[in-house]
Amino acid sequence: MLIVRGTKKLLDRVGPLSLGEDEQQTTLLGQWYATAVFWKPQVALFVNESTLVPVLMPLAPATTLLARFPRQVATVLAAHGIPDTIIGEELQQMRDHRLAKTANRSVVGIMNEFTYLAETYRGDTPPPDLLGLAMRLATTPCGPLYSKHVSPDRELQALLRSVAPPAN
């Protein structure tokens, strides 16, 4: 099961909370945090809690955002060179999704930084290249990762190395 923890800005557009008290995420990457970015057109920024990998996608239509999110995650993971088998397993686990309030201020802070950086990187080119922006943001050094692998792209690769069987 996929758990998305949204900011108030996002929750106001996407819908009611749906996470039950005893429900746990089952995805390899864990929980995702999300917020709305008020560009034209509006964008949703998702950040993975464990790796801080960002995913950007169109917000509209907001009612289908969580249903569309797994496909965008697959696109971003493929751009990072993640094997299709791992992407497929992640998509299987994301078929069922729940929405909850944010619970980790550190990740919310990273989302704020990514929003600022994305605004700077995108320039005046509407519509922005969301995949390109996500890939560029993934190379950003992040404070919570300094004691690990420094940037989200490196943290993602390290996580996958730790769970993937060694190649023969």
Side-chain angles (χ1 to χ4, degrees):
M1 175 186 352
L2 166 67
I3 296 175
V4 175
R5 295 193 171 272
T7 62
K8 183 170 180 353
K9 290 191 294 188
L10 185 84
L11 294 175
D12 288 346
R13 285 159 183 76
V14 174
L17 302 177
S18 58
L19 181 64
E21 196 172 305
D22 293 332
E23 294 180 303
Q24 299 290 322
Q25 61 85 22
T26 59
T27 60
L28 171 67
L29 294 175
Q31 299 183 90
W32 289 83
Y33 279 62
T35 192
V37 181
F38 299 114
W39 296 343
K40 290 189 189 232
Q42 292 182 355
V43 171
L45 167 65
F46 291 82
V47 174
N48 180 255
E49 184 177 39
S50 61
T51 64
L52 302 181
V53 166
V55 173
L56 291 159
M57 62 184 291
L59 181 60
T63 56
T64 64
L65 181 67
L66 294 184
R68 294 182 289 119
F69 175 62
R71 187 58 39 206
Q72 190 66 19
V73 168
T75 301
V76 170
L77 292 178
H80 280 284
I82 304 307
D84 290 341
T85 54
I86 292 175
I87 294 172
E89 289 173 23
E90 196 72 355
L91 288 176
Q92 278 290 102
Q93 295 298 321
M94 290 180 156
R95 283 183 296 145
D96 190 20
H97 54 267
R98 298 287 185 271
L99 188 60
K101 292 180 183 179
T102 59
N104 184 329
R105 291 187 345 202
S106 179
V107 178
V108 172
I110 294 295
M111 281 194 308
N112 290 335
E113 283 295 315
F114 281 168
T115 300
Y116 174 78
L117 288 172
E119 181 70 34
T120 302
Y121 293 157
R122 82 178 183 121
D124 296 328
T125 57
D129 171 14
L130 298 180
L131 179 59
L133 276 174
M135 296 302 290
R136 186 168 182 191
L137 290 172
T139 64
T140 304
C142 296
L145 300 178
Y146 281 167
S147 64
K148 299 176 186 176
H149 299 96
V150 181
S151 63
D153 58 345
R154 292 178 183 173
E155 187 69 19
L156 175 64
Q157 295 298 329
L159 172 69
L160 294 175
R161 279 193 304 272
S162 73
V163 298
N168 291 334

